[in-house]
Amino acid sequence: TVTELMRQRLIAVGIKAERIFTASNATNVELFFPIAREEALKKLNLDPSQFYLGFIGALSQWQGVHYAIEAMPQLIQQFPNIHL
């Protein structure tokens, strides 16, 4: 599992605790850290007059990325300068 909560749920449905290993999701904050929007846009050669939505992670269905994709037509109506 990737969280202790997920481990506990598996135990609750009858899976033996000794058969479950938890390897937590994490980010190395020394390598990955927020930078100023202007700096990020410049590095990526993106237009600062636009608004960008992004996702970092595995493109698995359970992540829910499809909701962002499905919402784009409505978002574009309200915010024509938005990009996914």
Side-chain angles (χ1 to χ4, degrees):
T1 68
V2 294
T3 67
E4 181 60 27
L5 178 60
M6 192 179 294
R7 180 180 182 276
Q8 293 302 322
R9 287 181 177 175
L10 292 173
I11 292 168
V13 297
I15 298 175
K16 295 179 183 177
E18 61 271 11
R19 301 205 60 185
I20 304 169
F21 174 77
T22 301
S24 299
N25 285 335
T27 300
N28 182 334
V29 295
E30 292 180 16
L31 294 175
F32 301 98
F33 50 88
I35 61 174
R37 180 179 193 272
E38 297 77 20
E39 182 182 349
L41 294 173
K42 187 175 180 179
K43 284 185 176 192
L44 297 170
N45 197 29
L46 295 173
D47 183 347
S49 69
Q50 302 298 301
F51 186 75
Y52 303 93
L53 299 176
F55 172 78
I56 299 172
L59 293 176
S60 302
Q61 186 172 357
W62 68 272
Q63 295 280 14
V65 176
H66 62 284
Y67 294 120
I69 295 167
E70 291 169 6
M72 285 306 291
Q74 292 175 316
L75 289 170
I76 289 170
Q77 287 179 3
Q78 284 190 300
F79 309 98
N81 64 337
I82 197 167
H83 303 274
L84 177 63

